[in-house]
Amino acid sequence: MKVKDKVLKILNENKETYLSGEELANRIGVSRTAVWKAIKALNDEGYAISAINKLGYRMSKGDDVISVTGIGQYLPTNLADTVKIEVYKTITSTNTVLKQKASDDASEWLILIAEEQTEGRGRMNRKFYSPSDTGIYMSVLLRPDCHVTQALFITTMTAVAVAETLDEIFDADTKIKWVNDIYYDNKKICGILTEAAVNVETSKLDYAVVGIGINVKEPKDNFPDEIKDIAGSMTGLELQKDINDNLRNRIVAKIVEKMYDYYKELNNHQFMGKYKEKSMLIGKDVYILTDENKENLHVTDIDDEAGLVVRHDDGRVEHLKSGEVSVRIKE
Ligand code: ATP
């Protein structure tokens, strides 16, 4: 552990209490100058550690800054050497920047996280609103040894990882809306966008970049009018359950831990059982967004290729492919 990690850990365990530079230095076994440097680096990462002459350093409760050090404290130790995290205050789009790094040969499990995106994207270049300080915008670089037809399962395994993480941390019951969205309380709180590069000779993936955008709390300026009826967040639950401290760092670490585990199942799709259990659409009547007649389709299942199995009113059964359609629940 670096000095910075150790200082953060001790201050975290002693929130609202002043600890002198000397005490921190003694507990860690380094010089007071090293402690001072670590505090400066943490403040540069966005932490608000107050320093008062003669009293020492103190961290307040309720601190929820996304930082490499903060996430590192919650990641299982076996992932510490595998996962490499970069945190940005603002970025165009974590997917766009990570794709560039992937083309430049970056290693698997490089993860970019931003407090804000200025050009966040959804499917088909739709916008993903990504305001500062209230969400998590992260992209994960994977280099799976799999055929391009399997790429969709990267999205579905990520959906399970995110939904389960939010359920565990907030004690909530989130739902997965086929194929790439997470809903809570009938509002979309997370979108997932997987973008991949394919080796044309082998038809295997060269890399996949999985982008995850989560509205953890309500944006400071509320959601813009065009999405205010669709978008939601987990806001309120963090206060109710007193879990605001390091909330987003914990969410990120848990998502990464779960993705790492489900990634081992990428070829046998075992996580699809959980995906189906959390499905928001199975058993519901839906329509295809682009269908002017809004024909009634009854969702009966999700098939082995992650297609949506629907029954038409005339009894015909069809398997919808996610790349082709967007569906909406019938009111
Ligand atoms: P589908 O996935 O069914 O095709 P979708 O509308 O959810 O449909 P995506 O590409 O997954 O499409 O996401 C982009 C859409 O998400 C935007 O068009 C907008 O309606 C909505 N959206 C944009 N920003 C946010 C946000 N921060 N939170 C929730 N929803 C958002």
Side-chain angles (χ1 to χ4, degrees):
M1 240 196 215
K2 291 187 203 151
V3 178
K4 195 171 67 167
D5 294 300
K6 291 182 184 165
V7 169
L8 185 63
K9 187 161 186 287
I10 297 175
L11 290 177
N12 253 328
E13 287 165 358
N14 295 277
K15 286 239 162 120
E16 305 290 338
T17 309
Y18 278 100
L19 296 174
S20 70
E22 191 177 0
E23 181 174 355
L24 284 167
N26 287 341
R27 278 172 71 169
I28 300 168
V30 293
S31 68
R32 279 166 59 184
T33 315
V35 168
W36 177 81
K37 278 189 187 155
I39 300 272
K40 186 170 177 314
L42 288 168
N43 279 336
D44 286 346
E45 282 191 34
Y47 287 95
I49 300 169
S50 44
I52 290 191
N53 224 350
K54 299 218 168 74
L55 281 176
Y57 303 103
R58 184 189 75 157
M59 232 164 103
S60 311
K61 267 191 115 189
D63 180 294
D64 182 27
V65 175
I66 300 181
S67 76
V68 176
T69 318
I71 296 164
Q73 313 232 302
Y74 296 98
L75 266 186
T77 43
N78 64 319
L79 293 190
D81 292 332
T82 314
V83 169
K84 183 165 179 289
I85 297 174
E86 294 177 11
V87 174
Y88 297 77
K89 275 262 161 265
T90 183
I91 200 166
T92 47
S93 140
T94 53
N95 263 31
T96 305
V97 176
L98 190 54
K99 278 198 295 182
Q100 184 56 53
K101 288 180 187 268
S103 310
D104 294 343
D105 269 350
S107 305
E108 183 169 64
W109 293 106
L110 172 61
I111 301 177
L112 306 192
I113 305 174
E115 285 276 10
E116 175 186 30
Q117 294 186 114
T118 53
E119 293 168 28
R121 289 178 286 116
R123 301 197 314 147
M124 297 158 204
N125 265 336
R126 290 185 281 234
K127 277 195 186 141
F128 192 83
Y129 178 60
S130 315
S132 63
D133 303 323
T134 48
I136 295 171
Y137 316 108
M138 62 190 276
S139 294
V140 181
L141 174 59
L142 299 173
R143 294 191 182 275
D145 180 21
C146 78
H147 194 264
V148 58
T149 50
Q150 301 298 295
L152 185 58
F153 291 104
I154 297 174
T155 300
T156 56
M157 75 159 214
T158 304
V160 175
V162 173
E164 286 188 344
T165 295
L166 296 176
D167 286 358
E168 284 172 25
I169 290 185
F170 289 98
D171 189 19
D173 184 17
T174 58
K175 296 282 174 213
I176 300 173
K177 177 178 164 285
W178 180 84
V179 62
N180 64 329
D181 296 328
I182 314 283
Y183 274 63
Y184 171 67
D185 220 4
N186 290 319
K187 293 280 175 78
K188 176 167 160 180
I189 51 153
C190 166
I192 295 165
L193 175 69
T194 305
E195 297 181 287
V198 180
N199 180 325
V200 282
E201 275 158 27
T202 58
S203 294
K204 284 189 161 185
L205 293 189
D206 179 19
Y207 68 76
V209 162
V210 199
I212 304 165
I214 308 173
N215 308 318
V216 178
K217 299 168 197 167
E218 212 68 4
K220 287 177 196 140
D221 298 327
N222 303 322
F223 289 106
D225 281 351
E226 61 270 28
I227 57 167
K228 72 174 191 325
D229 294 333
I230 310 165
S233 70
M234 309 296 284
T235 223
L237 287 182
E238 83 282 8
L239 301 175
Q240 228 180 62
K241 300 188 186 299
D242 197 15
I243 50 172
N244 194 52
D245 266 11
N246 282 311
L247 177 60
R248 290 180 301 158
N249 288 329
R250 274 187 288 133
I251 294 174
V252 170
K254 185 58 92 197
I255 289 174
V256 174
E257 181 184 350
K258 284 184 179 284
M259 281 181 75
Y260 192 82
D261 284 344
Y262 288 134
Y263 191 47
K264 295 176 197 141
E265 300 174 5
L266 192 61
N267 289 320
N268 62 26
H269 317 155
Q270 270 176 356
F271 47 78
M272 284 308 287
K274 289 178 177 141
Y275 184 88
K276 287 210 262 185
E277 267 171 38
K278 295 212 66 68
S279 167
M280 183 171 153
L281 298 187
I282 295 178
K284 296 270 167 54
D285 288 337
V286 301
Y287 63 93
I288 294 176
L289 195 59
T290 48
D291 174 10
E292 277 178 18
N293 303 324
K294 293 195 169 36
E295 188 201 347
N296 198 61
L297 303 171
H298 186 71
V299 180
T300 57
D301 202 0
I302 289 169
D303 67 24
D304 291 345
E305 295 307 311
L308 194 69
V309 186
V310 296
R311 195 178 57 233
H312 291 257
D313 278 347
D314 63 9
R316 240 176 342 116
V317 171
E318 195 180 351
H319 293 235
L320 303 177
K321 298 268 169 254
S322 73
E324 295 157 10
V325 291
S326 296
V327 298
R328 295 289 179 267
I329 294 182
K330 278 214 160 184
E331 300 301 331

